[in-house]
Amino acid sequence: MLVAIMAIGTNAQEAERPWEATVTGQILAFRSGDASAALGFAGSTFQRTFQDAERFAAAINSMGYGPIIQSRSHSFAAFRQTAPDSVVQGVNLVGPDGSLYEAIYQLVNEAELGWRVHGVVLRKSAGLST
């Protein structure tokens, strides 16, 4: 019985919230150097502003988001639904040098586009990954 309960708990923890696919998709696109795909996960305002994907990636990097672009790994932390179509999601990242970072993503479920990144705040956390 305990094994069955543990299996249910594991599956529940592994269930992905719909906006997490957007965050993961954008992070993986940045890591692989696919600026076009990374821009595709951004909100419509970003897409209109940065019609050139390479310019988008360069701007994101120059604004200090390199630890996301070059991250080794990421995991999801707490989230808060701020409206039916809006969420704030915490993401823990391991930067390229093993430093730890916390990113707070603001996502909106845009009509016809689905969940899209509308903003990110990044800060370095204490410690190093193992």
Side-chain angles (χ1 to χ4, degrees):
M1 178 87 165
L2 180 60
V3 173
I5 291 171
M6 289 177 63
I8 291 169
T10 301
N11 290 336
Q13 290 173 347
E14 293 176 5
E16 186 175 86
R17 294 172 187 92
W19 57 82
E20 290 179 358
T22 299
V23 173
T24 294
Q26 188 175 59
I27 291 171
L28 294 178
F30 275 134
R31 282 185 198 151
S32 69
D34 189 345
S36 182
L39 180 57
F41 289 105
S44 57
T45 301
F46 279 101
Q47 292 181 19
R48 282 191 302 274
T49 302
F50 295 100
Q51 295 177 7
D52 178 284
E54 296 303 323
R55 195 168 66 97
F56 168 72
I60 296 300
N61 193 39
S62 71
M63 290 188 287
Y65 293 97
I68 294 174
I69 294 170
Q70 302 163 359
S71 62
R72 291 183 188 174
S73 65
H74 72 280
S75 61
F76 290 97
F79 73 93
R80 183 176 46 126
Q81 190 113 22
T82 57
D85 63 348
S86 181
V87 68
V88 175
Q89 172 69 60
V91 179
N92 297 312
L93 299 124
V94 177
D97 63 353
S99 295
L100 303 177
Y101 294 86
E102 178 185 22
I104 306 298
Y105 279 74
Q106 179 187 13
L107 297 109
V108 173
N109 193 3
E110 294 188 14
E112 299 181 23
L113 291 176
W115 289 97
R116 294 294 178 256
V117 177
H118 275 237
V120 180
V121 176
L122 180 68
R123 72 180 180 110
K124 191 171 185 177
S125 301
L128 292 171
S129 70
T130 55

